Amino acid sequence: MVHKIKNALIQRDSVDESFELIDPNGYFAEDEVLLAIDNDTLITVQILIKAILRNDFKNWNEITEFSDSDSISSLFLKLGYKREEVAELLKDL
C-alpha cells in the first residue's frame, strides 16, 4: 500500500510579508484555506505514516516520558529506531 502526503510550499515575501503558494502539482488550486507546517514536522509525519503502513509499530517501545521541549524528531529514537533505520526511512520519501 502506498500513501502519499499531498504538500506544497507556502513562501513568505520578506518585503511585503505576503505569502505565495508554490504548488507545482496543483493539489491545492481550488482550496480557499491552507495550513502551514514546518519541514521537520512534515517529514516526521511522513515517516510515521510509512512506519505504520510497514507494520513497524509492532516493534515500537512504549514512550513513558515526552515533554513539550522534546523535538518531535526524537520521537523515533524513543520508539526504538536506530539512526540508521531513520535514515533508511528517509531515503524513500
Side-chain angles (χ1 to χ4, degrees):
M1 172 189 291
V2 175
H3 180 80
K4 181 172 175 120
I5 294 179
K6 297 176 184 173
N7 60 69
L9 296 175
I10 300 174
Q11 185 174 24
R12 184 182 353 199
D13 186 307
S14 61
V15 176
D16 67 2
E17 298 293 318
S18 66
F19 290 92
E20 176 187 0
L21 175 64
I22 302 170
D23 182 16
N25 296 318
Y27 291 134
F28 307 102
E30 303 298 320
D31 293 348
E32 293 182 25
V33 176
L34 299 173
L35 173 70
I37 186 169
D38 70 351
N39 291 338
D40 290 342
T41 304
L42 177 63
I43 291 169
T44 302
V45 169
Q46 288 175 313
I47 293 173
L48 279 173
I49 289 171
K50 183 176 179 181
I52 290 168
L53 292 175
R54 289 178 20 172
N55 289 326
D56 284 351
F57 63 91
K58 292 179 183 177
N59 300 320
W60 285 0
N61 294 331
E62 180 180 353
I63 298 175
T64 56
E65 292 184 27
F66 195 80
S67 71
D68 290 340
S69 63
D70 287 340
S71 164
I72 189 124
S73 302
S74 71
L75 176 63
F76 293 101
L77 297 175
K78 291 181 183 231
L79 286 170
Y81 286 89
K82 297 177 183 147
R83 293 187 189 277
E84 298 81 21
E85 293 171 316
V86 174
E88 189 64 34
L89 287 170
L90 282 168
K91 286 181 185 178
D92 296 331
L93 290 181

